[in-house]
């Protein structure tokens, strides 16, 4: 390996991204290093799973979905209970704390720690059995809830509780936090649905907690029997009391249920290795009543009154969290009330009865399953969308899920609003109104001492308010560090002292998740923002949604981990590399965590030169799926480009960056020298192709695409020399009058040099629709001598992080287009810039977003971005009376990931429907993703992404199906992996046009 090999760790001197920021370091670093060495030696010899003490593993687990951050010594991924026992033994010997971790979506800080983190998601993640007769299942702690639901569904069963994170949260985490979810009004909390647990204590003792004191450690029964009066009077009665230890579950009249008592103990008493859980009968049909109210207080007042109707859910949402295009009944807040039945008619009748009984401003009953999923997504994404106020201000958890008796929810919300106002704070409530549980993200300032002080004062006063309403500080997500300090306000010193005595019985050395629930850390300690730079980091992109602050952009990731879902689901794209590898470092959240730690400089110490961050970003496809699918709008493709720019600044780049990053330059050179035939001939010679791929950093499994013999611009120049037809006239006198609209056609690199047939087809369709089409070349003027200097969106330079070069190319493009981009005073006038039709979705997305974000000070960039339209948008907006030819055939394929994330595909769907192309395109990503799938070392991940949805859909398609793929990458992936020929929508429509029109 050479000294300049990009894969080799670089340890040359390099400044911290923000050298004036001094990160907070743990005390006694030498002792920690010694502990790491001793632990590593002890664990490596006894644990069969992974034992990781490297910076990447530690950085990935410094945070959960809370405001808190703690740096662990290392991470262990146990394969079985024996590995857990071995880890506990080694840690006990060295007095090292242990924290159990599932998906890391805890909101109160309880999934972080300074010792060893046990990651159960990698191996101990199975449903061991489902017993339909007893309606129980045996699961391991790392199994994702949705996997249990899938295993139970064939038996007509399901697990009742279902948090909004059901696609990634684990049963172990749900048991640790006593999670609930939207269906708790029907099926209760996790504790209500646990039968028996298998637990290891800190010193490795195996227990089997269950009813009637089963699995109780020595002394627990005696302690409880001495404190019966306290246990019968010291715990408020409400459906969502999650705070503290559930000691009242040990009362004799409640069955002395040790398993139920352990639910919600946050891994502070024992480590779960297996669980027997109860399953419930799933309704055969469901309906959803959406009830509108003037505001959330009115919705809260009404929620408790709906419970006698036996709904499955009573969920509340405020208007600030609902997208404007959600098409909900008119109102300022809504209740989502789900009903079930043996038939669709029965479920609908129950929903309609509730809608009639409710005092609402408007209502809607939805029975279509797809429409219900769309509405539920709004609710499930709220934990992310709530992290940004309507004006873009950051908002944070911390007081995420207080609960009060449902009948008092309306009064509590009014007092809560008043308290927010008195502290100058804002928040948008949502959550489980039927159970009196409110979620809210609040715009705390957690970056300055004054803001942190206000956070503490507000927390103390809110705790008193909750208690005054007879509530619980936690109604779902546990106390952790966020609320445990304030438990004396809820329970008083006697009960809290009892909690401490119970902790000492189970864990006398305090090794299991210390600082949580009992003897807690202060709620304003260990804040994850404290280590970040105080001043903005010098970056290239504008980050307009984050005030130009890269740290704020990285802070967007709050850890809800939607990127960790195992299946894309519907049209979702995010995060294809995680689904291919299953590794946290290849998820959007994992990469954001590494960037956070890079800025902090404590665990990852090389700043922009970090090999850990580089390696994690290496498998990011830059699909931009997270930009839309992430509830908080993390844009990892932009962050990757930013990082690569700084990482390789002043250094030699990987060969692929030159081979594919400079692709527009190489293809333009081939065109100017008229050597396309020679290049294609040489690429067909295997030894020469292999040599070219090796020199260019291209995966040996890939074929080199053929270069077109005639570019689109040369075809146009020849056509324009006298054969160019006039725009089509209306076919009949009765047709609505049409005004010929001039449009510019953008000759992107792929259409120009690799797929000119797409450009020719687009010209034919656009002209058939009555448009005057002019390709954009030098200054917007076509030339018989070819493309001249050419316009370019800069996509390939951006995706490889060559941002200086990208900016140069973009400025040259704006200069060439300057005559067409002059500002106008009346956008509706004829002098307004014509629309720019871009056929390649990735290029259109680059012009819409990357261009103005890389050149934020150039007004021409914004004008060009605003002028960009897709092929379907051009037809819909500028030829509204044109009817496409009818094909009446099924369509199969995949929506381009950049179209999904940036451009939207609503116009495309309407155009396909008008043309009789039936069916829904697959979600996910094709896996080629521009240069990604061609780069050496990416082939397996690239094809794994294609195999997730695209290739199975193609294989299962009817024989007469049209294979639609608007992106050149998608068409190439289909050709090289399935030997299938995909077509751009323009090609499909052009072939169906009447043949009496002049052919392009």
């Amino acid at each position: 390996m050479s000294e300049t090999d990009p894969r080799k760790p670089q340890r040359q001197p390099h400044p911290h991204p923000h050298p004036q920021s001094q990160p907070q370091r743990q005390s006694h670093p030498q002792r920690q290093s010694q502990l790491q060495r001793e632990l590593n030696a002890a664990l490596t010899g006894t644990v069969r799973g992974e034992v990781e003490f490297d910076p990447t593993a530690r950085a990935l687990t410094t945070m959960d979905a809370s405001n808190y951050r703690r740096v662990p010594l290392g991470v262990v991924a146990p394969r079985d209970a024996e590995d857990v026992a071995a880890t506990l033994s080694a840690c006990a010997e060295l007095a090292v704390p242990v924290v159990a971790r599932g998906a890391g979506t805890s909101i109160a800080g309880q999934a972080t720690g300074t010792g060893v983190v046990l990651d159960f998601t990698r191996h101990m993640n199975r449903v061991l059995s489902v017993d339909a007769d007893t309606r129980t299942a045996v699961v391991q702690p790392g199994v994702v809830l949705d996997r249990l639901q899938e295993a139970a569904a064939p038996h007509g069963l399901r697990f009742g509780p279902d948090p909004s994170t059901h696609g990634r949260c684990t049963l172990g985490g749900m048991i640790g936090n006593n999670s609930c979810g939207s269906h708790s009004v029907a099926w209760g909390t996790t504790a209500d649905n646990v039968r028996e647990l298998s637990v290891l204590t800190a010193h490795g003792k195996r227990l089997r907690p269950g009813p009637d004191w089963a699995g109780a450690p020595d002394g627990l029964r005696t302690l409880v029997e001495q404190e019966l009066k306290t246990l019968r009077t010291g715990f408020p009665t409400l459906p969502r009391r999650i705070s503290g230890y559930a000691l009242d579950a040990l009362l004799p009249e409640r069955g002395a249920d040790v398993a139920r008592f352990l639910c919600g103990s946050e891994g502070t008493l024992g480590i779960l290795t297996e669980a027997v859980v109860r399953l419930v009968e799933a309704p055969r049909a469901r309906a959803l009543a959406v009830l509108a109210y003037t505001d959330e207080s009115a919705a809260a007042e009404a929620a408790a009154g709906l419970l006698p109707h036996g709904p499955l859910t009573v969920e509340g949402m405020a208007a600030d969290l609902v997208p404007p295009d959600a098409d909900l009944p008119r109102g300022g807040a809504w209740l989502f009330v789900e009903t079930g039945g043996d038939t669709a008619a029965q479920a609908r009748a129950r929903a309609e009865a509730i809608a009639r009984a409710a005092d609402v401003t408007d209502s809607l009953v939805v029975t279509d399953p797809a429409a219900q999923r769309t509405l539920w997504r709004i609710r499930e994404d709220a934990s992310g969308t709530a992290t940004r106020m309507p004006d873009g201000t950051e908002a944070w958890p911390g007081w995420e899920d207080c609960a009060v008796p449902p009948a008092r929810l309306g009064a509590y919300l009014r007092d809560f609003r008043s308290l927010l106002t008195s502290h100058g704070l804002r928040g948008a409530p949502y959550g489980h109104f039927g159970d009196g549980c409110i979620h809210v993200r609040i715009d705390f300032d957690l970056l300055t001492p004054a803001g942190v002080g206000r956070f503490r004062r507000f927390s103390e006063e809110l705790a008193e308010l909750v208690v005054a309403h007879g509530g619980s500080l936690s109604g779902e997500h546990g106390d952790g560090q966020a609320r445990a300090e304030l438990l004396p306000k809820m329970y008083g010193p006697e009960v809290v002292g009892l909690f401490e005595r119970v902790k000492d019985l189970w864990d006398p050395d305090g090794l299991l998740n210390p600082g949580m629930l009992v003897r807690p850390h202060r709620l304003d300690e260990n804040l994850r923002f404290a280590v970040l730079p105080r001043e903005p980091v010098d970056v290239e992109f504008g980050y307009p949604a984050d005030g130009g602050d890269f740290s704020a952009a990285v802070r967007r990731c709050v850890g809800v981990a939607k990127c960790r879902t195992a299946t894309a689901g519907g049209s979702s794209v995010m995060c294809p590399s995680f689904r291919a590898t299953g590794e946290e470092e290849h998820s959007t959240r994992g990469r954001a965590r590494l960037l956070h730690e890079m800025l902090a400089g404590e665990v990852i110490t090389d700043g922009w030169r970090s090999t850990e961050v580089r390696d994690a970003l290496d498998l990011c496809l830059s699909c931009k799926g997270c930009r839309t699918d992430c509830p908080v709008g993390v844009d990892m493709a932009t962050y990757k480009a930013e990082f690569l720019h700084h990482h390789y600044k002043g250094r030699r780049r990987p060969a692929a960056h030159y081979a594919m990053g400079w692709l527009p330059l190489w293809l333009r050179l081939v065109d100017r020298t008229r050597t396309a035939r020679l290049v294609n001939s040489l690429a067909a010679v295997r030894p020469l192709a292999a040599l070219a791929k090796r020199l260019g950093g291209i995966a040996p499994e890939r074929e080199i695409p053929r270069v077109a013999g005639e570019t689109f611009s040369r075809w146009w120049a020849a056509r324009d020399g006298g054969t160019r037809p006039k725009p089509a006239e209306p076919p009949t006198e009765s047709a609505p009058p049409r005004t010929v609209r001039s449009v510019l056609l953008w000759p992107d690199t792929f259409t120009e040099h690799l797929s000119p047939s797409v450009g020719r087809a687009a010209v034919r369709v656009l002209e058939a629709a009555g448009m005057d089409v002019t390709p954009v070349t030098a200054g917007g003027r076509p030339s018989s001598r070819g493309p001249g200097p050419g316009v370019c969106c800069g996509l390939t330079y951006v995706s490889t992080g060559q941002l200086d070069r990208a900016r140069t190319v973009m400025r040259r493009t704006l200069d060439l287009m300057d005559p067409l981009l002059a500002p106008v005073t009346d956008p509706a006038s004829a002098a307004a810039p014509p629309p720019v039709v871009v056929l390649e979705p990735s290029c259109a997305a680059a012009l819409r977003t990357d261009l103005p974000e890389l050149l934020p000070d150039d007004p021409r960039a914004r004008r060009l971005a605003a002028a960009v339209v897709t092929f379907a948008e051009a037809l819909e907006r500028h030829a509204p009376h044109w009817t496409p030819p009818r094909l009446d055939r099924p369509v199969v394929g995949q929506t381009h990931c950049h179209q999904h994330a940036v451009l939207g595909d609503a116009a495309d769907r309407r155009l396909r429907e008008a043309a009789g192309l039936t069916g829904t395109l697959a979600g996910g990503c094709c896996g080629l993703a521009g240069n990604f799938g061609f780069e050496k070392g990416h082939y397996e991940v690239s094809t794994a992404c294609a195999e997730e949805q695209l290739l199975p859909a193609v294989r299962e398609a009817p024989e007469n199906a049209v294979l639609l793929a608007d992106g050149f990458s998608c068409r190439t992936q289909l050709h090289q992996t399935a030997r299938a020929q995909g077509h751009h929508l323009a090609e499909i429509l052009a072939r169906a046009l009447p043949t009496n029109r002049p052919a392009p």
Side-chain angles (χ1 to χ4, degrees):
M1 184 181 288
S2 69
E3 285 298 314
T4 55
D5 190 313
R7 302 295 298 186
K8 182 178 180 179
Q10 303 290 328
R11 295 292 179 181
Q12 53 189 291
H14 181 74
H16 183 270
H18 211 67
Q20 69 266 33
S21 174
Q22 297 298 319
Q24 296 179 348
R25 299 188 178 274
Q26 296 181 9
S27 60
H28 311 301
Q30 292 181 341
R31 171 58 180 157
Q32 288 185 358
S33 297
Q34 178 65 24
L35 271 178
Q36 285 179 312
R37 288 191 294 270
E38 293 178 14
L39 270 173
N40 199 5
L43 294 171
T44 302
T46 57
V47 172
R48 295 186 301 113
E50 291 82 7
V51 176
E52 299 169 333
F53 286 81
D54 59 280
T56 295
R58 297 169 64 216
L60 290 171
T61 50
T62 57
M63 293 173 279
D64 50 16
S66 71
N67 298 326
Y68 302 102
R69 171 184 177 272
R70 276 175 285 274
V71 179
L73 293 173
V75 179
V76 173
R79 289 190 176 273
D80 51 28
E82 298 301 324
D83 274 0
V84 177
T87 303
L88 289 170
S89 176
C91 290
E93 182 71 22
L94 295 169
V96 171
V98 177
V99 175
R101 183 179 173 105
T105 55
S106 296
I107 293 179
Q110 59 267 56
T112 66
T114 58
V116 168
V117 173
L118 287 170
D119 178 3
F120 285 102
T121 62
R122 287 190 234 177
H123 304 299
M124 297 181 68
N125 56 11
R126 291 179 297 150
V127 177
L128 299 178
S129 66
V130 174
D131 188 329
D133 293 332
T134 61
R135 293 189 177 180
T136 59
V138 181
V139 298
Q140 293 180 313
V143 68
V144 171
L145 174 58
D146 274 2
R147 304 292 81 77
L148 173 59
Q149 306 291 34
E150 291 164 1
H155 306 282
L157 303 173
R158 57 162 289 150
F159 188 68
D162 56 347
S164 60
T165 54
H166 53 82
R168 59 270 192 198
C169 71
T170 65
L171 266 293
M174 293 178 65
I175 291 169
N177 293 341
N178 193 10
S179 300
C180 308
S182 60
H183 289 89
S184 60
V185 294
W187 296 313
T189 70
T190 296
D192 296 320
N193 293 275
V194 166
R195 291 290 172 262
E196 192 175 60
L197 304 176
S198 294
V199 169
L200 283 166
T201 68
H203 289 277
K205 186 174 182 179
R206 298 171 187 268
L207 301 175
R208 192 81 175 173
D212 198 20
W213 294 110
D218 294 340
L220 181 62
R221 182 170 185 173
T222 300
L223 186 152
V224 167
E225 289 175 346
Q226 292 172 348
E227 302 290 346
L228 291 177
K229 180 179 179 181
T230 300
L231 297 186
R232 287 176 174 136
T233 60
F235 292 79
T237 301
L238 69 161
R240 287 295 192 96
R241 174 175 54 79
I242 306 299
S243 282
Y245 290 139
L247 284 171
D248 55 332
L250 299 175
L251 287 167
E253 60 266 30
R254 297 189 182 178
D257 194 335
V258 182
R260 186 184 182 94
F261 152 72
L262 280 175
C263 292
S265 59
E266 302 180 13
T268 61
L269 304 180
I271 302 296
L272 177 71
T273 60
E274 196 174 289
V276 180
V277 298
R278 177 176 76 104
L279 303 176
V280 298
E281 185 176 355
R284 291 186 174 89
R286 302 186 192 207
L288 180 63
V290 184
L291 311 179
Y293 297 86
T294 54
D295 56 33
E296 76 268 6
S297 291
E301 293 280 5
L306 302 179
L307 297 179
H309 295 273
L312 300 178
T313 70
V314 183
E315 298 289 289
M317 291 282 290
D320 287 347
L321 299 174
V322 176
D325 60 349
D327 197 24
L328 295 183
R330 56 184 177 82
W334 297 267
L335 292 180
F336 287 17
V337 184
E338 187 180 75
T339 58
D342 291 333
T343 65
Q346 188 179 71
R348 182 182 186 90
R350 289 174 177 171
E352 290 174 341
I354 289 176
R356 287 193 300 270
D359 183 13
V360 296
T361 61
D362 198 1
S363 66
L364 171 70
V365 173
V366 180
T367 56
D368 177 63
Q372 290 184 57
R373 284 194 297 271
T374 298
L375 291 170
W376 277 122
R377 179 181 173 181
I378 298 171
R379 166 62 187 86
E380 291 174 356
D381 283 353
S383 62
T385 54
T387 63
R388 285 294 186 278
M389 304 300 294
D391 62 0
T393 304
E394 294 171 305
W396 305 106
W399 285 93
E400 174 71 12
D401 64 326
C402 301
V404 298
R408 295 194 59 85
L409 184 60
Y412 165 72
L413 266 179
R414 287 190 290 274
D415 290 345
F416 171 74
R417 283 288 193 187
S418 297
L419 184 62
L420 280 175
T421 301
S422 69
H423 284 271
L425 297 170
R426 296 174 299 164
Y430 65 100
H432 314 292
F433 282 25
D435 272 337
C437 180
I438 291 298
H439 296 322
V440 64
R441 300 292 173 100
I442 300 172
D443 63 339
F444 298 119
D445 166 18
L446 299 178
L447 302 175
T448 67
V452 173
R454 180 167 59 168
F455 167 61
R456 165 168 281 281
R457 292 190 299 274
F458 174 84
S459 300
E460 292 172 339
E461 292 181 30
L462 181 57
E464 293 169 355
L465 177 63
V466 171
V467 172
H469 281 274
S472 174
L473 303 187
S474 172
E476 180 165 24
H477 295 142
D479 298 308
Q481 181 177 347
R483 289 173 283 266
E485 182 191 353
L486 301 175
L487 285 178
K489 292 181 180 291
M490 176 179 171
Y491 285 110
E494 184 179 1
V495 173
V496 170
L498 188 55
F499 291 164
E500 294 175 355
R501 292 164 62 192
V502 169
K503 165 74 169 174
D504 293 340
L505 279 175
W506 286 84
D507 180 25
D509 297 325
L511 297 179
L512 299 182
N513 212 1
M516 302 297 120
L517 276 177
V518 298
R519 304 182 185 98
H521 298 295
R522 289 168 54 91
L523 63 87
D524 51 358
E525 289 181 306
N526 305 315
L527 293 173
R528 66 187 179 102
F529 317 99
V531 295
L532 291 178
R534 296 295 91 188
E535 299 295 330
V537 177
D538 186 21
V539 288
E540 301 300 312
F541 281 95
Y543 301 101
D546 298 292
D549 186 351
F550 183 66
S551 294
V554 171
R555 287 199 305 268
R556 276 183 174 270
C557 180
V558 294
V560 295
K562 189 177 179 182
C563 51
R564 280 183 55 98
T565 51
T567 57
S571 62
S572 176
V573 172
M574 179 185 71
C575 176
S577 51
F578 172 78
R579 293 195 299 275
T581 67
E583 297 290 338
E584 171 79 8
E585 68 180 289
H586 298 136
S587 69
T588 304
R589 181 181 72 173
R591 293 173 180 128
R593 291 293 183 254
L594 289 167
L595 287 167
H596 185 110
E597 294 303 326
M598 180 194 81
L599 293 173
E602 179 179 350
V603 182
I604 294 175
T605 58
D606 291 343
W608 293 115
R609 293 292 198 242
S610 166
T611 57
E612 296 87 1
V613 178
R614 182 203 64 200
D615 291 347
L617 288 170
D618 181 58
L619 291 186
C620 172
L621 285 80
S622 296
C623 67
K624 289 186 177 287
C626 49
R627 187 179 178 112
T628 294
D629 296 340
C630 173
V632 293
V634 170
D635 185 359
M636 193 53 63
T638 298
Y639 305 171
K640 176 183 179 179
E642 185 77 62
F643 175 83
L644 291 177
H645 169 84
H646 295 282
H647 185 75
Y648 289 111
K649 193 170 187 177
R651 297 195 292 171
R652 196 177 80 181
R653 289 174 165 271
H657 287 197
Y658 301 108
M660 287 172 284
W662 290 25
L663 186 65
L665 179 64
W666 304 135
L667 291 174
R668 194 175 296 118
L669 180 62
V670 169
D671 179 38
R672 287 180 178 175
T673 57
R674 304 295 185 101
T675 55
R677 181 176 298 179
L678 175 62
V679 169
N680 291 335
S681 298
L682 294 175
V685 180
R686 288 188 178 182
L688 293 178
L691 176 62
K693 286 185 279 189
R694 185 161 62 250
L695 293 175
I698 298 172
E701 301 90 343
R702 287 293 177 187
E703 303 169 27
I704 298 176
R706 291 180 59 83
V707 182
E710 180 184 52
T711 65
F712 171 77
S713 291
R714 290 190 184 280
W715 167 82
W716 175 267
R719 175 184 188 263
D720 200 42
T723 62
R724 180 181 180 185
K726 295 181 180 180
E729 296 295 331
T732 64
E733 292 183 1
S734 61
R738 290 188 247 180
T739 301
V740 174
R741 180 64 193 266
S742 296
V743 297
L744 300 175
L745 188 64
W746 184 273
D748 62 85
T749 294
F750 307 100
T751 301
E752 175 75 2
H753 299 282
L754 300 172
S755 294
S757 62
V758 172
R760 297 195 296 267
V763 169
R764 184 174 182 188
V765 174
L766 294 172
E767 289 182 342
M771 299 187 201
D772 184 12
V773 182
T774 302
V776 177
T777 56
R781 297 182 299 275
S783 169
S784 60
R785 296 186 298 276
V791 292
C792 180
C793 67
L795 168 70
T796 58
Y797 302 105
V798 171
S799 63
T800 53
Q802 302 179 74
L803 300 185
D804 288 338
R805 177 69 181 168
R807 197 179 280 110
T808 298
V809 168
M810 290 173 175
R811 285 201 178 101
R812 185 188 67 201
T813 292
L814 293 175
D815 290 341
L816 291 172
M817 294 196 67
D818 200 48
L820 300 173
L821 295 171
V824 293
T825 55
D826 180 12
S829 72
V836 179
V837 184
V838 186
L839 302 174
E840 175 63 37
S842 56
C843 295
L847 290 169
R848 283 251 185 107
T849 59
D850 296 330
L851 174 67
E853 290 176 16
L854 269 178
L855 298 175
D857 298 327
D858 192 331
R860 299 176 303 172
R862 293 191 296 275
R863 287 199 292 274
L864 176 54
V868 167
V869 293
T870 67
F871 172 72
E873 287 172 341
L875 290 170
E876 183 172 83
R877 297 177 188 177
H878 306 299
H881 302 298
W882 180 71
T883 301
R886 292 285 301 186
L887 287 93
D888 295 318
R889 293 172 63 184
V891 65
V892 66
Q894 192 171 54
T895 301
H896 192 287
C897 50
H898 285 192
Q899 178 133 18
H900 166 83
V902 176
L903 309 169
D905 68 339
D908 294 74
R909 285 187 275 108
R910 289 188 287 267
L911 179 57
R912 292 198 303 269
E913 182 180 355
L917 293 170
T918 59
T920 302
L921 300 186
C925 177
C926 77
L928 193 64
N931 58 288
F932 175 85
F934 272 97
E935 291 184 10
K936 185 178 180 181
H938 292 172
Y939 183 77
E940 288 186 3
V941 170
S942 174
T943 54
C945 292
E947 282 290 353
E948 185 194 8
Q949 291 196 56
L950 177 60
L951 296 184
V954 171
R955 286 192 287 265
E956 297 166 7
E959 288 187 8
N960 66 332
V962 176
L963 182 50
L964 178 63
D966 281 352
F968 176 77
S969 290
C970 304
R971 295 193 295 273
T972 302
Q973 183 78 309
L974 284 167
H975 173 71
Q976 296 195 2
T977 59
R979 294 301 167 193
Q981 183 61 53
H983 301 281
H984 193 285
L985 183 56
E987 294 179 295
I988 296 169
L989 295 180
R991 291 176 182 175
L993 286 173
T995 56
N996 60 348
R997 291 194 182 279

